Amino acid sequence: MKDAGKTKQELMAELASLRNRLLELQGGAALPPPTPPTPPTPPTPPTPPTPPALTWETYDSVFSSFSLGVMAIDRSGVVIYVNPAFTRITGYRLPELGTEKQWFQKAFPEREARRKALSAWVRHQAGGTRTERLFQIVCKNGRTKTVNIDLSLAADGAVISLLGEAGAIADEERISNEKEEQWRLLLDIMNEGFIRLNDAGVPVFVNQRLCDIMGYRREEIVGRPLAFFLDEDNLRIFQEQFSRRSRGEKQPYEIVCQRRNGERRHLVLSPQPLFDHGGRFAGSFATCMDITERKAIEEELRRSQRRYRDLAREYRAIVENSTEGIYRGTPTGRYIMANHAFARLLGYESPEMLMAEVTDIGAQVYVDAQDWEEAIRKVIAAGHGEVEARVRRRDGSLAWIANSVRVVRGPAGEIRFFEGLARDITKRKEAERALEISERKYHALFQYASVGIIVTDAAGGIIEANPAWQRMTGYAEDEYRKLSPEVHYAHPEERRAIREELAATGRVRNHEVFLRHKDQRLIVALLNSDRCVMEGETVILSQTIDITTRKQEEETLRQSEERYRMILSNIEEGYNEVDLAGRFTFFNESFLRLTGRAHDELLGAHFGVCTDRENQRRVQRSYQRVFRTGKPLRCLAWDIFRKDGERRSIEVSVSLIRDTSGRPVGFRSLVRDVTDRPRPPS
């Protein structure tokens, strides 16, 4: 460095610039990673922790007992600490020093002396070259002293100056060892790892923090080649970087080391080359920041960004390719997003044209602005909703759309926008309208229906009833209009149940209800009702079928069958029924006892399981004759075989079973066991 001719101000400026560079490279502040592109809603990674600034108490705990004077100057040039030895040597206490500039003015009041001191100060910080070490300083009492000054940089970026009186240094080696030990104490309290390498790249010193990072003791690291801690790729990075130290280069770089347990740790090394008095390369030292957690955060951030980008692409593809309209609208009545399907639904060439031209949704899009206001109120109250509305297209034509809408709110609960899915239901609405007109046009047809039809208002009062209903209930037209609805129901709870179902679903299907005739007799009716709109009014359209006779017949039949079953279960003779294929469909307990078989074994089985082939052929011929003639056959004798193999002689009476339309569907048989009956002599 050529300092001849430079002014004090130039040297001070150069000193400040160099200190800033040293702080970036040496003070433990790793270069920040490049900021990744911001995804649609990226998670914010936590800021990696930075080493805390060393406090006055920290400096004092280390240097208060030093025999050498110690002065610390922070990044901004303010003197933040002096130890008792410094005050003893110079006479100055901390409050009297102020800034670095003020210290130089006090210690070197002569301009030329101050310029030389600043020049040596700058050269030392710039390249670590040790030139002049002895300086003449002026103490507070005005006396001049010759002092030995060494400079170093602390972990928090502070410049540490060590002063020793030249006449008091009797044993330079002892002082050097003492200073080395004191610096090691300071390095051990650093929040970052520290390593010093000799000119061969072998560690000669590491602080405790680096030992903690590596998982090794100090004696296991010092003197051991770094190849022991680095894989092949990272060793190559280190060797390439270390070769630059001899050229004075000191750019930070990243490297991955391996802990004792095999775990890989990512480090940022901020190196500084070392040179001896003759300017020869003597090795280097570096602060080591563990950025493993930061690397994990960065990787997670990258994965999150990829997920967000993928989701964004998928969302855009879904929106753009959807056949249904998708949009976002504000409470003030503007569209802020729409896909092509929604723009086409409203007759616009593009979403951009739609958003530019529509400034009031209620007035420009909805045929009735009150429909828009009502829809907004409904959706806000529930948070979402289904809304059908009549809208006006860009060309003035009308259409019906069905909206599925939800409210999207901000962090403070404010409504940001409405998000909706819309589809064209114009054809459906036109069909409904045509049906409504058709129903009005042919309403008179209900007069000729064979079932009772009534139209009631929302309260249940009869508006109109057809002749079939009048015949069924006994009330004429001039009578039923004057009656209250509950008069027609035998049980009030049935009427309440019907009205609740109508209110919930708008319809009632196949509901059996007891009505009361004018003469007070009960009528069992099958009721079907629908809530609909006729001529602008909501009414209930009901059909009633009188099933009283059918119910009575069903009850009679049920009782008859019950008596029939009871008789069959109590007779001693066996009874069975088979279908046309000869499979058992019914039998009584007596028949089960006769065959020696269980119910599940016999039901659905062919009657041949109970006999041999010869008897089976004779029985089939007999059953075929009954089927052809329709006449019963009595006293048919054949043999059956019980499950245990015992042979039994039976006598059977067979008749044909017909369904309600008269078609044959099977055979019924009454069976008597005649095994013990004496046989006539042959």
Side-chain angles (χ1 to χ4, degrees):
M1 181 180 293
K2 298 180 180 180
D3 300 310
K6 290 186 178 180
T7 65
K8 179 187 72 174
Q9 289 78 9
E10 291 172 336
L11 289 171
M12 291 295 290
E14 187 173 0
L15 173 62
S17 174
L18 288 169
R19 179 183 294 111
N20 288 334
R21 288 181 57 200
L22 286 169
L23 291 177
E24 291 176 356
L25 301 176
Q26 289 181 275
L31 294 176
T35 303
T38 304
T41 53
T44 303
T47 303
T50 56
L54 299 178
T55 63
W56 184 93
E57 290 77 10
T58 302
Y59 283 112
D60 195 60
S61 66
V62 176
F63 298 117
S64 61
S65 61
F66 274 30
S67 60
L68 300 177
V70 177
M71 176 176 62
I73 302 172
D74 68 9
R75 300 168 184 236
S76 60
V78 176
V79 179
I80 58 174
Y81 175 79
V82 294
N83 71 343
F86 181 92
T87 302
R88 176 179 53 77
I89 295 170
T90 66
Y92 291 105
R93 292 179 292 107
L94 181 61
E96 299 173 316
L97 294 177
T99 65
E100 180 183 64
K101 179 179 178 181
Q102 292 172 330
W103 156 246
F104 273 90
Q105 289 174 343
K106 293 177 184 295
F108 307 96
E110 294 183 7
R111 181 175 181 180
E112 183 60 20
R114 188 160 58 247
R115 189 194 66 77
K116 289 182 179 180
L118 282 170
S119 176
W121 186 285
V122 169
R123 283 198 300 274
H124 182 83
Q125 293 189 63
T129 303
R130 301 181 63 174
T131 54
E132 297 89 354
R133 297 177 59 188
L134 296 178
F135 297 88
Q136 294 285 332
I137 65 169
V138 177
C139 300
K140 181 180 178 181
N141 58 11
R143 295 175 58 187
T144 299
K145 286 187 178 181
T146 301
V147 295
N148 184 308
I149 300 179
D150 277 336
L151 304 175
S152 291
L153 199 63
D156 63 346
V159 176
I160 307 296
S161 176
L162 275 72
L163 283 73
E165 293 182 73
I169 302 177
D171 187 353
E172 185 173 345
E173 183 177 354
R174 179 181 60 80
I175 295 298
S176 177
N177 292 337
E178 182 180 295
K179 288 167 59 178
E180 182 73 18
E181 181 61 28
Q182 291 165 348
W183 277 111
R184 290 193 177 193
L185 289 173
L186 178 60
L187 291 171
D188 276 339
I189 65 173
M190 288 174 60
N191 192 45
E192 294 180 0
F194 180 88
I195 186 170
R196 180 173 175 179
L197 308 171
N198 62 17
D199 57 356
V202 177
V204 295
F205 174 78
V206 292
N207 70 345
Q208 186 58 45
R209 174 58 180 152
L210 186 61
C211 294
D212 296 338
I213 293 173
M214 298 288 293
Y216 288 93
R217 297 191 305 275
R218 184 173 296 171
E219 57 270 21
E220 293 177 313
I221 300 176
V222 172
R224 178 174 289 182
L226 291 183
F228 185 78
F229 310 102
L230 304 176
D231 60 23
E232 184 177 344
D233 292 337
N234 284 278
L235 180 61
R236 186 164 51 252
I237 294 172
F238 165 74
Q239 290 171 342
E240 180 183 347
Q241 290 290 333
F242 189 73
S243 66
R244 299 178 181 179
R245 299 294 89 77
S246 62
R247 300 193 297 269
E249 298 181 17
K250 44 191 174 183
Q251 294 83 1
Y253 63 97
E254 292 186 16
I255 201 167
V256 180
C257 67
Q258 188 165 331
R259 288 171 53 88
R260 180 195 294 275
N261 61 7
E263 179 186 358
R264 292 166 63 85
R265 305 298 293 183
H266 292 260
L267 304 178
V268 170
L269 273 62
S270 298
Q272 177 70 31
L274 295 173
F275 298 90
D276 61 16
H277 294 287
R280 291 183 301 273
F281 178 64
S284 70
F285 67 85
T287 57
C288 308
M289 177 184 288
D290 188 349
I291 60 168
T292 306
E293 285 73 19
R294 191 184 79 186
K295 282 287 186 180
I297 293 171
E298 291 173 356
E299 179 58 29
E300 180 60 30
L301 177 60
R302 283 191 290 271
R303 286 196 294 267
S304 297
Q305 289 171 336
R306 287 194 294 269
R307 288 196 297 268
Y308 275 108
R309 285 194 295 269
D310 293 343
L311 288 173
R313 281 195 298 269
E314 292 174 6
Y315 177 77
R316 284 194 296 270
I318 291 171
V319 170
E320 292 303 322
N321 297 324
S322 175
T323 58
E324 295 186 332
I326 300 174
Y327 66 90
R328 285 177 178 176
T330 66
T332 58
R334 293 191 70 102
Y335 290 116
I336 57 174
M337 188 279 285
N339 67 347
H340 287 278
F342 186 70
R344 288 193 298 269
L345 191 154
L346 295 182
Y348 291 85
E349 295 179 3
S350 67
E352 292 75 20
M353 178 184 290
L354 170 68
M355 290 184 286
E357 294 187 9
V358 176
T359 58
D360 188 336
I361 296 174
Q364 294 177 254
V365 176
Y366 279 66
V367 173
D368 188 345
Q370 290 184 350
D371 290 345
W372 161 254
E373 295 172 359
E374 178 62 27
I376 291 297
R377 284 195 295 270
K378 175 183 175 182
V379 171
I380 291 176
H384 59 85
E386 303 292 328
V387 179
E388 293 185 357
R390 202 175 184 200
V391 297
R392 184 181 293 104
R393 294 192 177 101
R394 187 170 184 264
D395 60 6
S397 61
L398 302 182
W400 280 90
I401 62 172
N403 291 285
S404 179
V405 190
R406 73 181 185 98
V407 180
V408 178
R409 298 182 181 272
E414 77 283 4
I415 297 176
R416 294 179 57 202
F417 52 80
F418 303 103
E419 192 169 62
L421 187 69
R423 60 186 183 279
D424 190 341
I425 59 170
T426 305
K427 291 183 178 179
R428 192 194 81 189
K429 284 291 185 179
E430 290 173 349
E432 291 174 353
R433 178 63 177 168
L435 178 61
E436 182 181 342
I437 295 173
S438 177
E439 287 176 347
R440 287 204 311 268
K441 182 177 180 180
Y442 297 101
H443 180 69
L445 293 178
F446 93 115
Q447 294 287 339
Y448 303 101
S450 60
V451 299
I453 301 175
I454 58 173
V455 180
T456 61
D457 58 23
I462 299 176
I463 300 173
E464 193 172 7
N466 73 339
W469 190 88
Q470 296 177 37
R471 290 191 299 270
M472 184 173 65
T473 62
Y475 289 102
E477 182 176 354
D478 59 342
E479 293 176 309
Y480 66 68
R481 293 183 185 275
K482 301 175 184 178
L483 298 174
S484 59
E486 57 270 13
V487 169
H488 303 289
Y489 290 87
H491 306 300
E493 62 273 11
E494 290 185 343
R495 178 173 179 267
R496 286 195 297 270
I498 292 169
R499 290 181 62 81
E500 289 173 359
E501 188 171 350
L502 279 170
T505 65
R507 62 191 302 183
V508 173
R509 289 291 179 267
N510 298 323
H511 189 97
E512 290 189 9
V513 61
F514 286 90
L515 302 178
R516 192 174 297 281
H517 192 271
K518 181 180 178 180
D519 62 9
Q520 299 302 306
R521 59 186 171 86
L522 293 180
I523 304 168
V524 183
L526 191 65
L527 178 69
N528 287 277
S529 299
D530 289 275
R531 188 176 60 218
C532 57
V533 176
M534 290 186 177
E535 298 178 352
E537 295 184 5
T538 300
V539 297
I540 311 287
L541 178 64
S542 301
Q543 299 179 19
T544 54
I545 302 174
D546 188 348
I547 59 172
T548 305
T549 301
R550 191 184 79 187
K551 283 291 185 179
Q552 291 171 349
E553 292 174 350
E554 289 176 354
E555 179 60 23
T556 301
L557 178 60
R558 186 191 64 78
Q559 293 176 1
S560 176
E561 289 180 346
E562 185 176 343
R563 288 194 297 272
Y564 174 69
R565 299 294 182 187
M566 186 178 297
I567 291 170
L568 290 178
S569 64
N570 292 322
I571 63 175
E572 293 184 2
E573 287 83 356
Y575 176 86
N576 69 73
E577 295 177 0
V578 296
D579 59 19
L580 294 178
R583 294 185 294 268
F584 289 109
T585 59
F586 178 76
F587 33 77
N588 66 355
E589 290 293 328
S590 297
F591 186 74
L592 288 174
R593 288 193 296 272
L594 179 62
T595 63
R597 288 173 169 81
H599 180 278
D600 292 342
E601 292 180 277
L602 215 54
L603 186 64
H606 192 270
F607 75 89
V609 301
C610 299
T611 188
D612 57 14
R613 289 185 177 274
E614 181 182 351
N615 281 277
Q616 183 177 336
R617 284 194 295 269
R618 187 166 66 253
V619 171
Q620 285 176 336
R621 287 195 297 269
S622 300
Y623 276 28
Q624 289 171 358
R625 186 165 63 253
V626 172
F627 181 80
R628 287 195 308 271
T629 64
K631 296 180 180 180
L633 181 65
R634 304 186 184 282
C635 298
L636 172 64
W638 55 291
D639 294 337
I640 65 171
F641 294 88
R642 289 170 52 86
K643 185 177 180 181
D644 58 9
E646 180 185 358
R647 187 182 189 121
R648 306 293 292 181
S649 297
I650 61 173
E651 192 174 79
V652 181
S653 297
V654 183
S655 61
L656 198 61
I657 301 175
R658 299 179 185 272
D659 62 13
T660 55
S661 62
R663 291 191 301 269
V665 295
F667 304 91
R668 63 171 62 90
S669 301
L670 190 64
V671 182
R672 289 177 293 279
D673 187 354
V674 296
T675 305
D676 299 329
R677 180 189 298 177
R679 294 178 180 269
S682 56

